């Protein structure tokens, strides 16, 4: 996982609220509603333990407090353990945590202690941002473009294929692209085709990955990528509805 900086985590409250408003306007549901519909469940007030981890580059300033804010934003009870690492894990379990959140340099996970399920941020992020893109209420198309087929992008592409969408994708890494073609049956996107999309799921760590030739006017771009792949001038010119990762 990319290391977040304190600057990435500033103004999280305003960013979360703005994102949620856009999602509800363009899909009809806020993020909590989409998650409940997608997974067929409702939150029943689990207790969430957040554990600081010192491995690798160490604890990221404000990361755990930002997680706590997000947990509370969705109406859940959460707490940050006093101690990090294994001692923190012991503390979280002893305090009755139902869900554990923790991250190191490579992975960010949620572990549900009630049912034993565990999910990485790569998969959870890919699925939910792809699902948001697929719910755009101003299109009747089943065609959707995925940009980037790393861990996040591949998870999102898989989800979209399973939902019955016609998934086109591009990635400069030919192995990633061929893997998605072989395993998921996606169609490689070619700019020469001049095909444009009203729904785009962008999952790269690069800026300016979305060009004018890819998108229709009044489209939805859903991206957890940092930095954002949509150039501001393109977004403004095409009146794009943009859903970004608030981090």
């Amino acid at each position: 996982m990319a290391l977040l900086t304190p600057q990435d985590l500033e103004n999280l409250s305003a960013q979360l609220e703005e994102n949620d408003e856009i999602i509800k306007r363009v899909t009809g549901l806020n993020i909590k509603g989409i998650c409940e519909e997608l997974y067929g469940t409702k939150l029943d007030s689990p207790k969430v333990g957040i554990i600081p981890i010192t491995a690798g580059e160490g604890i990221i300033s404000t990361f755990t407090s930002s997680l706590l804010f997000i947990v509370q934003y969705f109406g859940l009870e959460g707490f940050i353990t006093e101690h990090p690492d294994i001692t923190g894990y012991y503390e979280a379990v002893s305090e009755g945590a139902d869900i554990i959140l923790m991250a190191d340099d490579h992975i960010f996970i949620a572990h549900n202690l009630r049912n034993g399920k565990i999910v990485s941020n790569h998969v959870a992020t890919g699925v939910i941002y792809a699902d948001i893109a697929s719910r755009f209420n101003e299109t009747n198309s089943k065609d959707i473009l995925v940009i980037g087929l790393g861990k996040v992008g591949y998870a999102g592409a898989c989800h979209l294929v399973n939902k019955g969408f016609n998934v086109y994708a591009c990635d400069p890494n030919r192995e990633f692209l061929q893997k998605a073609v072989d395993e998921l049956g996606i169609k490689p996107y070619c700019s020469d085709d001049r095909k444009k999309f009203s729904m785009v799921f962008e999952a790269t760590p690069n800026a300016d990955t979305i060009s004018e030739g890819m998108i229709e006017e009044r489209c939805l771009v859903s991206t957890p990528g940092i930095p954002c792949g949509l150039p501001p001038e393109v977004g403004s010119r095409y009146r794009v509805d943009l859903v970004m990762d608030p981090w």
Side-chain angles (χ1 to χ4, degrees), residues 149-151 154-155 158 173-186:
L149 289 165
K151 293 179 180 179
Y154 188 91
C158 182
N173 187 312
R174 302 301 299 178
E175 291 184 7
F176 286 4
L177 181 60
Q178 192 60 50
K179 180 175 185 285
V181 170
D182 294 342
E183 296 181 358
L184 304 180
I186 62 99

Side-chain angles (χ1 to χ4, degrees), residues 148-175:
L149 289 165
K151 293 179 180 179
V152 175
Y154 188 91
C158 182
H159 175 69
L160 293 168
V161 168
N162 290 336
K163 284 192 73 174
F165 281 82
N166 303 318
V167 180
Y168 295 75
C170 57
D171 193 296
N173 187 312
R174 302 301 299 178
E175 291 184 7

Side-chain angles (χ1 to χ4, degrees), residues 29-243:
L29 293 171
N30 60 16
I31 188 69
K32 182 177 180 180
I34 289 176
C35 289
E36 290 178 346
E37 187 173 286
L38 177 61
Y39 294 106
T41 186
K42 289 188 177 294
L43 294 173
D44 55 353
S45 301
K47 191 174 183 179
V48 181
I50 301 164
I51 305 171
I53 300 296
T54 61
E57 295 293 328
I59 296 173
I60 303 168
S61 173
T62 76
F63 181 71
T64 53
S65 58
S66 297
L67 285 182
L68 180 60
F69 176 85
I70 293 170
V71 165
Q72 294 172 338
Y73 179 86
F74 289 110
L76 307 179
E77 179 185 356
F79 65 97
I80 300 168
T81 59
E82 180 180 353
H83 299 92
D85 305 326
I86 301 302
T87 305
Y89 193 95
Y90 177 84
E91 180 185 339
V93 174
S94 299
E95 291 293 323
D98 300 301
I99 296 173
I100 300 290
L101 296 181
M102 54 186 175
D104 61 15
D105 295 0
H106 304 288
I107 195 168
F108 171 22
I109 66 166
H111 188 188
N112 189 323
L113 301 182
R114 290 182 182 176
N115 58 25
K117 292 183 178 180
I118 190 168
V119 65
S120 76
N121 181 59
H122 301 121
V123 173
T125 299
V127 168
I128 193 62
Y129 274 87
D131 200 70
I132 290 168
S134 74
R135 290 171 177 262
F136 190 37
N137 55 22
E138 294 191 27
T139 183
N140 294 317
S141 176
K142 296 292 286 184
D143 295 341
I144 190 166
L145 176 63
V146 175
I147 303 174
L149 289 165
K151 293 179 180 179
V152 175
Y154 188 91
C158 182
H159 175 69
L160 293 168
V161 168
N162 290 336
K163 284 192 73 174
F165 281 82
N166 303 318
V167 180
Y168 295 75
C170 57
D171 193 296
N173 187 312
R174 302 301 299 178
E175 291 184 7
F176 286 4
L177 181 60
Q178 192 60 50
K179 180 175 185 285
V181 170
D182 294 342
E183 296 181 358
L184 304 180
I186 62 99
K187 304 174 183 68
Y189 167 76
C190 179
S191 58
D192 293 341
D193 295 337
R194 298 186 178 180
K195 183 174 180 60
K196 295 190 174 186
F197 297 85
S198 57
M199 297 174 290
V200 177
F201 166 52
E202 195 272 353
T204 80
N206 303 310
D208 302 337
T209 60
I210 301 172
S211 65
E212 294 186 39
M214 293 175 168
I215 58 175
E216 296 179 352
E217 189 171 359
R218 293 293 302 114
C219 69
L220 171 61
V221 171
S222 178
T223 174
I226 300 174
C228 177
L230 179 69
E233 64 276 10
V234 174
S236 176
R237 187 178 305 122
Y238 281 78
R239 298 188 298 146
V240 174
D241 284 306
L242 176 63
V243 175

